[in-house]
Amino acid sequence: MRRRAAALAVPFSAVLLAVSACGTIPEDWKTPAFLRTGDDVDSRLPTVSGDRGEEPKVDFPDIAPPGEQISGVVRPGEEQGEIVRADDLLLVDIVDYQWTDKGKTEKTNSTYETETPFLLSMEQLGEEFNQDLVNQNVGAQVVFVFPAPDPEQAQAQGADPDDIPEGDSVSVLEVRDRFGKGDTVPGEQTTDGGEGLPTATDNGAAEPDISIPDGDPPKDLETTVLVEGDGPEVEDEQEIVAQYTGVRWEDGEVFDSTWSKGGAPFTFPLGQGQVIEGWDEGLKGQKVGSRVMLVVPEDQAYGKEAEDNGQPAGTLVFVIDILGAVDPPPPAEEESGSEEGDGGDTSSDEGSDDSGGSEDEEK
């Protein structure tokens, strides 16, 4: 999600790019509301078919592009599946088309082909774009139709107005998974730690309590798996979805925690130097669904000048729930006349300045 080729029209993937890069939807892209027809699906929307999790077959109606912003749910989600909430983080697949005339369409993008679904923050999108998704079950598919932007909108996207393509942009979005506020790993905690290392009690869905033992901290990074997940091992460059809490060894006081800030999951790319070294090293190879305790020495945390930089000093202890891991997108394609955002600062809205997920040391 961090690097995408910019689009001249405004498909949903371009909206995601804008949110990733600046944390909000550009004003020029906002309209009073999508045109909808109550609980009925607008007949001008294409239909989709096929199995969930696979690229859908998209059939367009035998009409010219509507030239209006419309959207609708074209396939409901899984029965008894999890319900999408307005403050969720979603994992979604998207197929984009350019609809230029009656019977004329061209596929321009597919995350199914690249096997790189997006992480999508519902709160950052806002009501205008997420209204079709809220209260749908995981597995739902939604179609969005966007008319070509006017010249001012094109310039806002960094594009030459003369290069605006004809027709409407169409995005078919499928909800693959959701991560909600307060989510934790589902497995059973088999150890609290200890034996000279801190202990972390299992408080269910609540923030775990970390207790620091007497004595000096270890000199090297220590990793303890409290809950072993059954998912794949996380790898460098993947976008990790996590809950965490962190304390200083010196006093055992919590200095940062997603649990105490509403429980919104924190996301960051692993192994890219955007979190402290202890996180990049200690989490690599751990399984999705695991709860991991890291004891991070000063030299793999914020260093000797941490306090001068307003960061927690000394050895730090974290308990981290690994909720998910998403593969990175392929390299961006060459563009003409536009500059893409890279959205590298994924922690700016999800994590705090003091956490293991902080990027202050990189800025």
Side-chain angles (χ1 to χ4, degrees):
M1 175 173 175
R2 298 191 303 279
R3 293 187 62 83
R4 297 301 305 238
L8 297 179
V10 193
F12 206 76
S13 55
V15 174
L16 295 186
L17 169 65
V19 172
S20 171
C22 63
T24 185
I25 296 174
E27 288 295 329
D28 285 344
W29 290 6
K30 293 183 178 180
T31 60
F34 280 105
L35 297 177
R36 307 175 71 194
T37 56
D39 294 332
D40 297 325
V41 177
D42 193 308
S43 62
R44 296 172 294 175
L45 291 172
T47 60
V48 302
S49 59
D51 295 333
R52 291 188 173 91
E54 298 181 0
E55 182 170 328
K57 182 178 184 298
V58 182
D59 293 310
F60 286 79
D62 192 24
I63 60 173
E68 298 176 299
Q69 235 175 240
I70 58 177
S71 67
V73 178
V74 292
R75 189 180 71 183
E78 303 166 1
E79 293 184 8
Q80 308 302 318
E82 292 188 87
I83 303 296
V84 173
R85 303 303 183 194
D87 54 9
D88 279 349
L89 181 68
L90 301 184
L91 183 66
V92 300
D93 268 307
I94 297 177
V95 185
D96 290 326
Y97 291 85
Q98 195 66 27
W99 186 3
T100 55
D101 204 345
K102 182 178 179 180
K104 293 184 178 180
T105 61
E106 178 185 2
K107 184 170 69 174
T108 58
N109 172 69
S110 171
T111 62
Y112 297 91
E113 293 180 357
T114 58
E115 298 182 348
T116 53
F118 286 103
L119 281 172
L120 168 62
S121 169
M122 293 282 282
E123 286 190 318
Q124 286 180 318
L125 280 181
E127 182 179 359
E128 179 186 2
F129 289 94
N130 69 27
Q131 58 185 338
D132 287 297
L133 296 168
V134 173
N135 293 329
Q136 295 296 322
N137 289 23
V138 169
Q141 285 186 316
V142 180
V143 174
F144 299 87
V145 176
F146 300 85
D150 61 31
E152 291 185 0
Q153 290 173 322
Q155 289 178 344
Q157 296 175 56
D160 186 342
D162 293 334
D163 293 334
I164 297 174
E166 296 180 1
D168 294 354
S169 295
V170 179
S171 296
V172 182
L173 178 149
E174 179 180 7
V175 180
R176 293 283 296 274
D177 201 356
R178 61 167 292 279
F179 304 98
K181 287 188 174 180
D183 280 0
T184 56
V185 295
E188 180 180 352
Q189 186 163 315
T190 57
T191 179
D192 290 345
E195 299 184 2
L197 296 176
T199 58
T201 59
D202 184 359
N203 292 332
E207 180 179 3
D209 295 319
I210 301 174
S211 298
I212 305 298
D214 295 332
D216 295 330
K219 294 182 179 180
D220 298 321
L221 176 69
E222 296 284 350
T223 302
T224 303
V225 178
L226 306 177
V227 176
E228 184 169 4
D230 57 7
E233 295 182 357
V234 300
E235 303 174 354
D236 283 347
E237 298 187 7
Q238 285 186 318
E239 195 81 8
I240 308 302
V241 183
Q243 296 278 14
Y244 71 89
T245 186
V247 305
R248 297 199 307 167
W249 182 285
E250 179 180 347
D251 55 19
E253 295 295 321
V254 176
F255 61 83
D256 193 20
S257 171
T258 55
W259 272 284
S260 62
K261 296 186 296 188
F266 168 65
T267 66
F268 64 97
L270 187 68
Q272 303 304 295
Q274 295 194 27
V275 291
I276 60 175
E277 182 182 341
W279 275 42
D280 276 342
E281 182 178 327
L283 294 180
K284 183 179 179 179
Q286 300 299 330
K287 295 179 180 178
V288 173
S290 295
R291 173 172 290 184
V292 180
M293 181 169 66
L294 299 180
V295 181
V296 183
E298 181 179 70
D299 63 344
Q300 290 185 286
Y302 294 100
K304 296 184 180 298
E305 298 181 356
E307 287 187 341
D308 294 338
N309 296 325
Q311 296 162 328
T315 296
L316 307 179
V317 182
F318 297 93
V319 172
I320 305 164
D321 277 21
I322 305 174
L323 303 178
V326 180
D327 288 338
E333 298 176 0
E334 291 294 327
E335 303 169 53
S336 59
S338 63
E339 179 178 350
E340 65 182 59
D342 62 14
D345 188 359
T346 56
S347 69
S348 59
D349 292 312
E350 305 289 350
S352 83
D353 291 342
D354 294 332
S355 74
S358 167
E359 296 181 48
D360 277 359
E361 72 273 23
E362 299 299 318
K363 294 179 179 177

